[in-house]
Amino acid sequence: MKIWKVFALALVFLPGAVSAWQAPVNLDFEQGQAGQAPPGWTVPPDAAGFSAQVVAEKPESGKASGVLVADDTVLGAQQAGNLIQSIDATPYRGKRIRFRAASRAELESPGGRARIWIGLDRPGSPNGGRWDYTSDTIVNSEWTRYEVLGEVPEDTRMLNLGLVLVGRGRAWIDSASIEVVGRVGEGDEPARALSGRELDNLVAFTKLLGYVRFFHPSDQAAAADWEKLALAGVQAAEKAGSPEELARALETFFLPVAPTVRVYPTGKQPALPAELAPPAGGPLEVTVWNHNGVGLSKQGSAYTSKRVTLGSSREPGRFGQYIEAAPVKGKPVRLRAAVRADGSGARLALKTFSQGQQDSSPLAEKEIPSTEGAWRVEELTATVPEGITALGVELQLVSGERVSWDDVTLEVVGEAPPAEPLLDNPGFETAGADGAPSAWSLEAEAKRMGYSVALSGDGAKSGRSVVLTYKKPDSESPAEPFVADLGGGVSAIVPLALYKDARGTLPHVPPLVRPPVPEKPEGFIPSGTDRATRLADVALAWNVFQHFYPYFDVVQADWPAELRRALSSAATDQDAAAFLTTLRRMVAALEDGHGNVFHPSQRDSHQLPLAWDWMEDRLVVTRVDPEKAPGVSRGDVVVAIDGKPAGEVLAAEEELISSATPQWKRFRSLRALLAGGENEEVRLTLQPPSGATKTVALRRSLSFQESPQGFEDPRPEKIAEIRPGIFYVDLDRVQEDEFKAAVDRLAAAKGIVFDMRGYPNGSALLAFSHLIDKPMDTARWQIPEVTRPDREGMTFDFSNWPVKPAPPRFQAKVAFVIDGRAISYAETCMGMIESYKVAEIVGAPTAGTNGNVNPFTLPGGYRMVWTGMKVVKQDGSRHHGVGILPTVPVSRTLKGVAEGKDELLEKAIEVVSR
């Protein structure tokens, strides 16, 4: 399942845009004429819609600055343009550098942003350079100083310095500079094994790091740079020689960000800090953390982490739904709702959401006073902006205890009502699996603040209405903190709630008290070659999963043991690539099909010019490029890879693959064994179906950039009549407009085979709508609601969405083809086919992993991906590790491959031809 796709910025640098290598020029933008392009800087020609010029108005210093403008009014909200200067890297090779600049931005696209960056042009880098190091996001309209640090390897040919702008708007740059701040590797700590005491110390630090970061609600902890704190913390904690020393070291370290945390030798618990007692001046508000999943991304996500204030004042309770923006973008809309607000204040609101946004943006609101027991219809109109992803309708309770809503309608002004309402369940007549109105949801933090919703037939305007109520919750008590044994002979008191006043959480920390910093030289850049960075990364990553991974109830991982193993391995890893293996092994223990770790040190841009699969307990070539792989034939059994038995090589790779099922682990491992660096040689020992064993040398010559899906087995055309009256539709490849153009032919078909062996695009659900005469619901998506450490009391925020029927209804006999590579959104689709018994399912079980991912990055450039929500099937049964099961099981055979058969497709054709 994918709710919002978060687009990454991509830099494309064309060497031809710069005539010759050069030293830095015009960094202050004083050269050039106003209104003309700034000398020395360029906008790559592929950045359509973007331009740059010198401007004299309001420079940061001097007489002029540079501005990058997205001047195309139809530019997409997430398109990126760059202003680049390329300089000779020779003086900077082997050095750490700092690129500084003043910048400001006026952003017009929701979710728009800008950054300054450093890119490296190195041998083998795609398109002559790439986006390697970036600053914090530029969102202020006033001049602010930004900087970015980077390391320049010895093989770097040119440095690319730049400003990137995402979406419509303008971004200015001035007073830029570049300087050397040290040598590559300066400050890196060499590998060294952990003693038993040191390991215990780091385990204790790791646990306390997670408790304070995610659950201690102080203002200081909420504002902390946890990457820097983790790096400083492993240095502060490791050398403690006893529980007493460790307790002192940990408490001293965390006091600047968590002044009410206490650490002590286990069994010697101290008195609680005085600030945890109710203040003498009367009750104050209480602040706690509320995690809906865990908010790790700054670019928009299905997951959020917010501190919630419980007390006399309160935020409104927001109840609503979002719809796809396509039918309403750029149009005036009218929202109507019947409301009864007995003694309460209510609000009707329209919101917008765009890719890259963390939260929605208000479009229009209307305050509704108490209606004194009577129903009344309120309306709100607004014009929906272009460039948004979704439009939201919110029904709010602002004050008082109860408001009722009914008969909500959303329409485009001046257009005839569509055949299907824009809003799902507008009259609240349908309940979801949790008893609340289907298609509508109450914000997770609103639930924590005391809001709830219920359906009611008593006094409804028509049918049933929804009642939004507020009851002051029983708040967490600061005087009853969380107490944890950290190991290493120490324990900790960690308050999960704090009193607050107008100045913030208590106690107030003096401004001169600063969080600790790592013992590293100026300009230090965290790297996988630094031992302290590796240990900090393990501590940061382990805690994310410890507190928020939703599948520990079905995955029997010994997660505390994984922490000790990962810390021990990280301490002795010799380089960034070795540490990547450590992190991959840790994530593999989660048995999460989305789980993966990525790093620039990976050499996996190309693959061997063949495809293979595991069948009948052998590795078999299923397709081959005869020009690039002479001597290899379809049906050859791969006996050995670089002299090692193929089965052993595959098993070793599978140890590093995170997967909920054997079939997905096998698929990913086979792909991984094909991949590597460009033109790397691999020696394969082959056993043909007939003939003697032979060894061939092949090179990884097929670029994944040219063929992102690799060199897969051939399939028919995207939509093809493969037998008279029998049609084939590949839902991985067919686009929505292509499917719509074929609807009439498919409606007349006798049989249709839909191929779901992979990851479908948006046409899949469109196809499903022609197979049904009643709505189908997707699986149940459940985002964890976490308020206490170690998943204690974890509950789930439920959601799903329907697929509605659409004419014409296909009368053909239908079969779907699946196998172990079908994952996530493919399983969302196939789950409906399975649950509602729409068609036969032919092939092998799917990957058994669904739900939105929640990626995050670690110091040193490591990017971790994992599943942040729990998904169960429509009937509430387990999906994770099970997947979608075929009604007609089929396996590939060596004989079928040698004969060039697609045995799964052939069986599906047989099924729909009966």
Side-chain angles (χ1 to χ4, degrees), residues 490-515:
V490 299
S491 296
I493 296 170
V494 183
L496 306 184
L498 293 175
Y499 292 111
K500 65 174 291 189
D501 60 17
R503 293 172 54 201
T505 54
L506 301 180
H508 302 302
V509 175
L512 295 179
V513 176
R514 303 294 177 84

Side-chain angles (χ1 to χ4, degrees), residues 582-772:
T582 293
L583 292 177
R584 290 182 65 198
R585 197 178 300 276
M586 181 172 74
V587 173
L590 296 172
E591 298 180 13
D592 176 10
H594 285 135
N596 211 337
V597 191
F598 303 94
H599 189 261
S601 65
Q602 291 172 283
R603 292 175 54 83
D604 57 0
S605 61
H606 289 68
Q607 76 153 75
L608 294 174
L610 54 82
W612 54 28
D613 201 354
W614 188 264
M615 62 192 74
E616 300 179 20
D617 206 30
R618 285 174 283 186
L619 181 59
V620 181
V621 175
T622 58
R623 188 185 181 192
V624 64
D625 182 334
E627 294 184 0
K628 295 183 177 180
V632 184
S633 301
R634 186 179 60 227
D636 286 353
V637 173
V638 181
V639 178
I641 302 173
D642 288 331
K644 297 180 180 179
E648 292 182 13
V649 176
L650 182 60
E653 181 63 33
E654 288 185 342
E655 291 180 1
L656 305 179
I657 299 294
S658 187
S659 176
T661 60
Q663 56 267 26
W664 178 248
K665 183 183 290 286
R666 181 62 48 82
F667 171 71
R668 277 189 54 194
S669 299
L670 291 171
R671 288 289 299 271
L673 291 182
L674 289 170
E678 183 176 5
N679 286 324
E680 283 181 343
E681 184 178 274
V682 179
R683 298 184 66 82
L684 301 181
T685 303
L686 304 174
Q687 175 62 64
S690 61
T693 299
K694 59 183 177 180
T695 298
V696 299
L698 302 180
R699 293 192 178 274
R700 291 188 167 105
S701 55
L702 180 64
S703 169
F704 282 116
Q705 187 177 4
E706 299 171 0
S707 179
Q709 299 304 317
F711 193 62
E712 295 187 337
D713 298 330
R715 297 184 183 183
E717 293 297 319
K718 288 182 282 187
I719 300 178
E721 187 172 7
I722 49 180
R723 302 274 177 85
I726 307 297
F727 280 80
Y728 169 88
V729 180
D730 188 343
L731 292 173
D732 287 5
R733 295 181 290 153
V734 69
Q735 301 299 312
E736 186 171 323
D737 58 344
E738 295 171 321
F739 183 84
K740 288 180 177 178
V743 162
D744 290 341
R745 287 193 296 155
L746 295 173
K750 297 178 182 178
I752 307 173
V753 174
F754 290 103
D755 202 330
M756 194 72 82
R757 289 175 290 182
Y759 200 92
N761 59 43
S763 62
L765 297 185
L766 176 62
F768 287 11
S769 66
H770 294 283
L771 304 179
I772 55 176

Side-chain angles (χ1 to χ4, degrees), residues 356-378:
Q357 278 188 277
Q358 187 74 18
D359 294 304
S360 59
S361 300
L363 178 61
E365 296 179 341
K366 183 173 185 180
E367 303 294 331
I368 302 171
S370 171
T371 52
E372 299 179 355
W375 284 97
R376 56 190 289 179
V377 176
E378 299 285 350

Side-chain angles (χ1 to χ4, degrees), residues 66 111 212 219 229 284 320 344 453 574 602 608 707 742 748 753 756 824 890:
V212 176
D219 293 342
L229 277 175
L284 295 180
S344 300
V453 294
Q574 294 299 310
Q602 291 172 283
L608 294 174
S707 179
V753 174
M756 194 72 82
S824 198
V890 182

Side-chain angles (χ1 to χ4, degrees), residues 355-606:
Q355 306 235 351
Q357 278 188 277
Q358 187 74 18
D359 294 304
S360 59
S361 300
L363 178 61
E365 296 179 341
K366 183 173 185 180
E367 303 294 331
I368 302 171
S370 171
T371 52
E372 299 179 355
W375 284 97
R376 56 190 289 179
V377 176
E378 299 285 350
E379 71 175 45
L380 183 64
T381 59
T383 298
V384 180
E386 297 280 0
I388 69 167
T389 304
L391 179 69
V393 169
E394 279 190 1
L395 315 174
Q396 300 180 9
L397 173 58
V398 178
S399 62
E401 298 180 354
R402 176 187 175 101
V403 62
S404 299
W405 297 93
D406 205 353
D407 297 340
V408 185
T409 61
L410 180 68
E411 60 184 1
V412 176
V413 178
E415 290 187 5
E420 292 289 339
L422 292 173
L423 294 174
D424 288 324
N425 195 21
F428 308 112
E429 303 305 313
T430 305
D434 59 350
S438 63
W440 298 81
S441 63
L442 180 66
E443 287 186 342
E445 55 264 34
K447 296 177 185 178
R448 186 78 189 274
M449 288 187 289
Y451 292 95
S452 61
V453 294
L455 288 170
S456 174
D458 184 16
K461 187 172 185 299
S462 62
R464 291 196 288 187
S465 63
V466 67
V467 183
L468 179 57
T469 59
Y470 173 78
K471 180 181 179 183
K472 185 176 179 180
D474 296 327
S475 64
E476 295 273 0
S477 171
E480 298 177 358
F482 179 74
V483 178
D485 185 338
L486 304 178
V490 299
S491 296
I493 296 170
V494 183
L496 306 184
L498 293 175
Y499 292 111
K500 65 174 291 189
D501 60 17
R503 293 172 54 201
T505 54
L506 301 180
H508 302 302
V509 175
L512 295 179
V513 176
R514 303 294 177 84
V517 296
E519 295 180 3
K520 296 291 186 181
E522 180 188 4
F524 176 78
I525 300 174
S527 166
T529 59
D530 173 52
R531 179 177 181 273
T533 299
R534 298 193 299 268
L535 295 172
D537 282 358
V538 170
L540 290 164
W542 184 86
N543 272 299
V544 170
F545 305 124
Q546 167 66 12
H547 301 295
F548 303 104
Y549 184 54
Y551 286 114
F552 277 127
D553 60 331
V554 297
V555 174
Q556 303 304 313
D558 187 343
W559 200 236
E562 288 299 324
L563 172 60
R564 299 181 73 86
R565 186 205 59 75
L567 286 170
S568 298
S569 179
T572 58
D573 284 333
Q574 294 299 310
D575 54 30
F579 182 53
L580 176 62
T581 298
T582 293
L583 292 177
R584 290 182 65 198
R585 197 178 300 276
M586 181 172 74
V587 173
L590 296 172
E591 298 180 13
D592 176 10
H594 285 135
N596 211 337
V597 191
F598 303 94
H599 189 261
S601 65
Q602 291 172 283
R603 292 175 54 83
D604 57 0
S605 61
H606 289 68

